[in-house]
Every structure is written in structure tokens, then in C-alpha cells.
Amino acid sequence: MRQDSVKSRIPKISCNCSHKRTGRRVLVGMNMSETIPAYQPAPAAASSTRAWEVLCHLSSIVGLLGVPFGNILGPLIVWLVKRDASPGVDAHGKESLNFHISWTLYAIVAGAISTALILIGIGILMWIVLAPLLAIGWLSMLILVVIGSIKASNGELYRYPLTIRFLS
């Protein structure tokens, strides 16, 4: 009798085997332990993302090596390849592109004004003033790119001065 009373207290559980499909069953996985966290996909490595953010700024130095419009093409290529992978890379790429597009426009305007002044005859004297200013401008661009790269490696977004925001 004792066995019958024990069997009556145990509820009957139907078998949930794959070869016996008697109805819809849903498997609910729950984490019963406080020490084991639920599965979460690993986020992208911060160092990898930071490297691409820094590369958004440093790739513009290609323009100083003699590649025409390399200061725009370097950040543009990095930004187009990795902008969907991280919002940080997207922001740094846009900022770098905006700065270098603005810089290129300023250089084109300054070159047009210098050419016009040379044709008039006043420009030859202006080159004495403009050549050092051009060197100071390129040096300041290099310094700003290095500052932007250092800020990016620290996880900060650097806003370049005198930049027209073409991409926002």
C-alpha cells in the first residue's frame, strides 16, 4: 500500500521525445543560478574599434605623401569600410572628412586668389608672405590630425576647429 500512495502523489509527466510528437511543446530555458549569467553575444572589442577610430584621423596623412586628395581619400575609405561596424568609427570618420574637405576647399580658394594676384602682378610679392603661411597651415593640419588621433585613442571625439560640417 505504501508504494501506491507514493505513486499517486507523483504527477504523471508525458515524455517529450522527438519521435513521440503528441502536441506542441515549448522548451523554455531559464537561468536558475545567480552566478551564471545568461548568454549574451560578446560586444566588439574596444581596442579594435579604437584602432579604426584612430585610423580615420591618421589615414589623412596620405595626402602629405603626395597622393592627390589623399587627405580626403584616406579617411573616406576607412569611413566607408567601417562606418556600419561602430557608431564611434562613423562619428570620427565624419569629423575627419569634414575637416579635410574644408581644408581642401580653403586651399583651393587660397590658390585661386594667389593665381589671380600673380596674373595681376601683385602676387609675386604675395608669395613671400603666402609661402610661410602655407607651410604653417600644413604644419597646423598635421598637428590637428595628431591631436585628433590621440583623442580618438583615448575614446574621445575631437572636433576640429574651422570645419564646415558637410556630413552630420
Side-chain angles (χ1 to χ4, degrees):
M1 258 211 188
R2 182 125 171 98
Q3 272 188 333
D4 292 334
S5 66
V6 171
K7 283 185 180 179
S8 65
R9 286 188 293 171
I10 298 174
K12 291 188 177 184
I13 300 173
S14 63
C15 180
N16 190 9
C17 300
S18 62
H19 64 278
K20 288 186 181 180
R21 295 186 184 250
T22 58
R24 284 186 111 182
R25 290 191 173 51
V26 178
L27 177 63
V28 178
M30 295 188 323
N31 186 3
M32 297 299 210
S33 172
E34 293 292 325
T35 60
I36 303 172
Y39 173 75
Q40 295 177 356
S47 62
S48 171
T49 302
R50 287 258 167 89
W52 285 105
E53 291 171 357
V54 170
L55 196 59
C56 285
H57 297 281
L58 285 181
S59 61
S60 62
I61 296 177
V62 171
L64 295 176
L65 300 176
V67 176
F69 297 103
N71 63 329
I72 295 173
L73 291 176
L76 179 65
I77 291 169
V78 173
W79 180 65
L80 288 175
V81 169
K82 288 293 185 175
R83 68 179 170 185
D84 296 329
S86 167
V89 174
D90 185 38
H92 284 275
K94 286 179 184 177
E95 188 63 28
S96 182
L97 276 172
N98 284 334
F99 174 68
H100 292 290
I101 292 171
S102 300
W103 180 260
T104 302
L105 287 178
Y106 299 150
I108 289 171
V109 169
I113 291 171
S114 297
T115 302
L117 291 175
I118 286 174
L119 292 176
I120 294 173
I122 304 172
I124 296 172
L125 297 175
M126 292 295 290
W127 271 107
I128 297 170
V129 175
L130 288 178
L133 285 178
L134 184 64
I136 290 170
W138 282 108
L139 183 62
S140 65
M141 182 193 77
L142 180 64
I143 291 170
L144 290 173
V145 166
V146 170
I147 290 171
S149 301
I150 291 171
K151 294 278 189 174
S153 70
N154 292 334
E156 304 171 33
L157 178 63
Y158 179 65
R159 301 291 269 181
Y160 287 99
L162 303 172
T163 300
I164 302 168
R165 308 277 177 228
F166 296 103
L167 305 170
S168 56

